[in-house]
């Protein structure tokens, strides 16, 4: 451990050469992150805080330039090393309020990422009402040669059935030049994206980037299911980025910090790469995601999952309908069989607003649900069930037997949304109820997989006593993560899938604990490719569950198309496999066999996009994984425009003698795809003769 105390004139107190970043303190005690030789004015204070009575020094839409952030002064710092990783805590203090900020910066010695969180402690004599706190700030981006005119801003819109829709814009189209010298002030605006309510990714992903023409990239991720926001803008001729959890203006979050009390922000990470652009940055982010998540055997074994819902039973399972699907799924090569929504439904009025007890419906399973679970095990698969643990239907008996304080409330009124109430997992009765449910399903019934869904946006949160709604949502979110961890502590081989109406809660607060992420509820196979191709921007490939729903009324091309999507991620197989012809079923088995052959390599690969991140209507879409020995590439052709051939530049393989192999579908099965490699140019030319077809290729040394 090293420690330094006191204030020195413009000196480094922390450095990370792999990132090219330093924490520097000036003569006033202000601490900022930047690079050597940068203009101090373009940097941003290490922590920015707004509090009631302590706003900003320059009013506008930005949440930097705060009065407290300007006053926070260096107190001391310490660094703890653990192998090739280090954690530095920098302490700052505000003499006016007594607020102390402890900024923790975590990174590996050779890693190109920096993780941060902030702990605030009130050492003053009066309460302080916090309204916003940064987790991480960085200024001085793209100053000097090239400047802001060459920067490109990247962000992702996210919606039900339309997840991971990446967009890009010239930075100057969003943050226009304002003749700073003529006005003597910075602008008042910024480019911002933020969440709304309890669907953390119901509007956008908490991931975005800035890239420069020379290949430099700055990529960030905020880890919160309870409110987040980022902003980027111009500061003294350079760009800055500020990352936040919930705040008062956007999430109805404020937090009263009494003397002696503390508050911790949500974590966030910044990736910085010198070359390779977005692909290189997402490679670093993928490594980071793998490093922070809870270890679990599922990340190595990647079992094939059959789920009865999508385009199949659609929430209406019975023993009679399930048994033939179970047999067919087992024969096809599935290793997990999930009974999705409806298994608890014995109500003529429908299950949506009656859920909560999670008991099997006798009328659906005349011989008991154990008959079906035993059949799943008998065909060599792990049984799984769908669960929506955080909600209780308004018609459920639990809505009346659990205490009122166990539910979300605002203004003293229990919150109702789409026929459901929302449990507050900080309350012991709510947690005890869910513990009993899971321990029964897993411990007594032998269920090994739980699909945890989340189908309502409950709004800003809950007010328990004097707390704000946003503070209540953050408190529940943290209790929810603690509950998920406790399940895995008690049942270490249980697999938890994170689902939020598909990908509407697709954040790494959740994915650091759960093993898989449902990427979408999209039922149209022609609409899924841009989601499947971009899923690795939101989750590590081995955590990104993508639907494949082949049907007996589809052509072989259509079956091959829907099966191709998940082969570089996680397979969520569905469809009436039991009604297929032998030729159709053989195509399904072939795809599963290919997946099992390549899956040992997936968890060590890095994603890349040779045609760029896809747009929603792109006719050609490409997504690849770079491994140590092989490069895998999926290519979709969705219509007849542009001809049957596409050339892709793979500069990382230029000069390498490679052999491209069609893994799926082969010429004997469906689309007769071909691929030719030119090592001199690093170009791969792929032919897909028919529209609405797809192919998976392996490029391996010749």
């Amino acid at each position: 451990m090293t420690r330094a105390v006191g204030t020195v004139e413009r000196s480094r107190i922390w450095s990370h050469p792999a990132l090219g970043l330093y924490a520097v303190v000036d003569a006033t005690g202000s601490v900022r992150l930047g690079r050597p030789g940068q203009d101090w004015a373009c940097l941003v204070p290490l922590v920015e805080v707004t509090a009631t009575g302590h706003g900003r020094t320059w009013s506008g839409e930005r949440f930097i330039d705060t009065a407290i952030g300007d006053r926070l002064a260096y107190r001391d710092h310490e660094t703890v090393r653990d192998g090739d990783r280090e954690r530095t805590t920098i302490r700052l203090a505000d003499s006016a309020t007594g607020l102390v900020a402890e900024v923790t910066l975590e990174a590996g010695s050779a890693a190109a990422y920096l993780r941060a969180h902030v702990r605030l402690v009130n050492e003053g004599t009066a309460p302080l009402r916090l309204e916003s706190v940064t987790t991480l700030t960085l200024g001085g981006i793209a100053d000097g040669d090239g400047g802001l005119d060459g920067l490109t801003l990247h962000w992702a819109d996210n919606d039900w059935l339309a997840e991971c829709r990446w967009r890009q814009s010239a930075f100057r189209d969003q943050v226009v030049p304002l003749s700073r010298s003529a006005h003597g002030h910075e602008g008042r605006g910024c480019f911002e994206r933020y969440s709304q309510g309890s669907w953390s990714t119901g509007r956008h992903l908490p991931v975005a980037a800035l890239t420069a023409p020379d290949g430099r990239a700055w990529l960030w991720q905020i880890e919160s299911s309870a409110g987040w926001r980022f902003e980027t803008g111009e500061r003294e001729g350079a760009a800055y980025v500020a990352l936040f959890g919930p705040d008062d203006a956007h999430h109805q979050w404020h937090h009263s910090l009494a003397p002696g009390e503390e508050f911790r922000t949500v974590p966030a990470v910044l990736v910085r790469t010198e070359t390779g652009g977005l692909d290189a940055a997402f490679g670093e982010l993928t490594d980071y995601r793998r490093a922070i998540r809870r270890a679990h055997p599922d990340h190595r074994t990647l079992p094939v999952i059959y789920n009865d819902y999508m385009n199949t039973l659609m929430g209406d399972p019975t023993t009679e309908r399930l048994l033939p699907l179970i047999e067919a799924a087992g024969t096809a090569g599935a290793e997990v069989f999930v009974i999705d929504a409806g298994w608890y439904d014995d109500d003529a009025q429908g299950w949506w607003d009656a859920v909560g007890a999670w008991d099997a419906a006798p009328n659906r399973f005349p011989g008991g649900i154990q008959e079906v679970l035993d059949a799943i095990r008998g065909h060599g698969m792990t049984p799984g069930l769908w669960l929506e643990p955080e909600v209780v239907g308004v018609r459920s008996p639990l809505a009346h037997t659990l205490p009122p304080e166990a539910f979300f409330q605002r203004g003293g009124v229990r919150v109702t949304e789409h026929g459901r109430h929302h449990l507050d997992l900080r309350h012991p009765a709510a947690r005890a109820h869910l513990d009993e449910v899971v321990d029964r399903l897993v411990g007594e019934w032998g269920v090994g997989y739980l699909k945890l869904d989340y189908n309502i946006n409950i709004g800003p949160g809950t007010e328990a006593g004097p707390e704000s709604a946003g503070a209540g949502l953050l408190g529940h979110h943290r209790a929810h993560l603690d509950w998920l961890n406790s399940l895995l502590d008690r049942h270490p081989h249980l697999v938890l899938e994170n689902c939020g109406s598909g990908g509407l809660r697709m954040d790494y607060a959740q994915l650091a604990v759960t093993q898989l992420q449902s990427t979408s509820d999209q039922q149209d196979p022609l609409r899924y490719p841009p989601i499947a191709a971009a899923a690795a921007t939101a989750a590590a490939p081995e955590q990104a569950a993508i639907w494949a729903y082949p049907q007996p009324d589809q052509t072989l091309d259509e079956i091959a198309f829907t099966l191709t999507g998940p082969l570089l991620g996680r397979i969520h197989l569905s469809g009436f496999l039991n009604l297929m012809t032998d030729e159709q079923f053989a195509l399904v088995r072939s795809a599963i066999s290919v997946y099992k052959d390549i899956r040992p390599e997936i968890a060590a690969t890095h994603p890349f996009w040779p045609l760029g991140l896809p747009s929603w209507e792109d006719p050609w879409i490409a997504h690849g994984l770079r491994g140590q020995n092989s490069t895998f590439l999926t290519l979709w052709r969705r219509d007849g425009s542009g001809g049957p051939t596409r050339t892709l530049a793979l500069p990382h393989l230029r000069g390498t003698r490679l052999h491209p192999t069609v893994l799926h579908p082969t010429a004997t099965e469906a689309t007769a795809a071909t691929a030719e490699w030119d090592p001199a140019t690093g170009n791969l030319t792929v032919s897909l003769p028919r529209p609405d077809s797809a192919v998976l290729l392996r490029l391996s040394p010749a």
Side-chain angles (χ1 to χ4, degrees), residues 56 58-63 188-189:
R56 289 161 288 183
W58 179 240
S59 189
E61 300 302 310
R62 304 179 179 198
F63 283 75
R188 299 185 187 273

Side-chain angles (χ1 to χ4, degrees), residues 153-370:
L153 178 62
H154 308 261
W155 72 97
D157 294 339
N158 211 66
D159 196 359
W160 185 56
L161 311 180
E163 291 85 351
C164 300
R165 289 176 292 118
W166 280 85
R167 300 166 62 85
Q168 69 178 51
S169 172
F171 182 81
R172 277 306 192 197
D173 286 346
Q174 303 295 329
V175 181
V176 298
L178 298 174
S179 301
R180 167 78 166 83
S181 60
H183 302 93
H185 285 289
E186 296 287 355
R188 299 185 187 273
C190 60
F191 179 90
E192 65 175 1
R193 289 293 182 267
Y194 52 90
S195 66
Q196 184 178 54
S198 57
W199 273 334
S200 59
T201 56
R203 309 177 84 188
H204 310 283
L205 293 183
V207 184
L210 291 168
T211 57
D214 60 4
R216 289 177 295 160
W218 298 260
L219 173 67
W220 57 89
Q221 168 182 283
I222 306 171
E223 296 156 19
S224 172
S225 293
W228 58 266
R229 176 181 173 271
F230 68 78
E231 67 175 69
T232 182
E234 182 176 1
R235 184 182 177 92
E236 297 289 348
Y240 76 90
V241 171
L243 311 181
F244 302 80
D247 65 58
D248 192 24
H250 301 86
H251 309 98
Q252 298 185 32
W253 177 89
H254 57 79
H255 184 90
S256 293
L257 203 62
E261 291 184 342
E262 67 176 59
F263 170 76
R264 294 178 182 269
T265 67
V266 301
V269 64
L270 174 75
V271 169
R272 183 176 183 271
T273 55
E274 286 293 320
T275 60
L278 270 186
D279 284 357
F282 273 114
E284 290 287 346
L285 184 61
T286 300
D287 284 342
Y288 163 80
R289 288 166 168 173
R290 289 166 175 158
I292 65 164
R293 69 191 179 194
R294 180 183 177 121
H296 196 284
D298 182 80
H299 298 144
R300 301 186 302 273
T301 56
L302 313 191
V304 175
I305 300 152
Y306 182 96
N307 183 301
D308 70 26
Y309 186 83
M310 190 61 71
N311 291 346
T312 310
L313 299 187
M314 299 297 291
D316 194 17
T318 65
T319 299
E320 182 181 11
R321 293 177 181 140
L322 285 167
L323 291 181
L325 290 176
I326 291 167
E327 180 178 4
T331 304
E335 294 151 308
V336 177
F337 189 102
V338 179
I339 305 171
D340 207 282
W343 59 269
Y344 38 78
D345 173 27
D346 237 1
D347 193 323
Q349 299 181 58
W351 55 263
W352 180 264
D353 59 359
V355 296
W358 308 111
D359 291 317
N363 290 336
R364 291 186 174 274
F365 309 104
I369 197 170
Q370 279 297 344

Side-chain angles (χ1 to χ4, degrees), residues 21-38:
L21 290 179
Y22 301 83
V24 180
V25 58
D26 74 351
T28 69
S30 180
V31 179
R32 306 183 184 196
L33 286 180
R35 302 191 314 277
Q38 284 188 302

Side-chain angles (χ1 to χ4, degrees), residues 102-178:
E102 296 184 351
V103 185
T104 299
L105 306 175
E106 302 176 64
S109 58
Y113 61 77
L114 177 66
R115 192 186 203 213
H117 68 270
V118 176
R119 174 177 175 260
L120 298 179
V121 182
N122 187 352
E123 293 185 358
T125 58
L128 194 63
R129 187 178 183 269
L130 305 173
E131 295 181 354
S132 71
V133 187
T134 57
T135 288
L136 182 62
T137 62
L138 179 68
I141 296 174
D143 58 340
D145 292 343
L148 300 184
D149 292 343
L151 277 186
T152 300
L153 178 62
H154 308 261
W155 72 97
D157 294 339
N158 211 66
D159 196 359
W160 185 56
L161 311 180
E163 291 85 351
C164 300
R165 289 176 292 118
W166 280 85
R167 300 166 62 85
Q168 69 178 51
S169 172
F171 182 81
R172 277 306 192 197
D173 286 346
Q174 303 295 329
V175 181
V176 298
L178 298 174

Side-chain angles (χ1 to χ4, degrees), residues 9-90:
E9 187 168 353
R10 195 67 65 82
S11 62
R12 301 179 190 174
I13 57 174
W14 172 86
S15 66
H16 196 293
L19 285 166
L21 290 179
Y22 301 83
V24 180
V25 58
D26 74 351
T28 69
S30 180
V31 179
R32 306 183 184 196
L33 286 180
R35 302 191 314 277
Q38 284 188 302
D39 180 3
W40 183 259
C42 77
L43 305 181
V44 185
L46 188 59
V47 181
E48 296 275 26
V49 180
T50 61
T52 306
H54 305 268
R56 289 161 288 183
T57 59
W58 179 240
S59 189
E61 300 302 310
R62 304 179 179 198
F63 283 75
I64 61 167
D65 298 316
T66 65
I68 291 177
D70 187 57
R71 295 195 303 258
L72 283 170
Y74 174 73
R75 174 181 282 183
D76 62 28
H77 76 278
E78 62 184 16
T79 298
V80 177
R81 291 181 174 85
D82 181 10
D84 66 346
R85 297 179 60 79
E86 70 174 31
R87 182 175 66 255
T88 296
T89 299
I90 301 171

Side-chain angles (χ1 to χ4, degrees), residues 160 163 199 201 452-456 498-506 517-518 521:
W160 185 56
E163 291 85 351
W199 273 334
T201 56
L452 303 181
D453 211 341
Y454 188 72
N455 286 305
I456 60 171
N498 184 46
C499 182
S501 273
L504 301 189
R505 196 159 65 166
M506 193 158 41
Q517 173 64 54
S518 176
D521 282 349

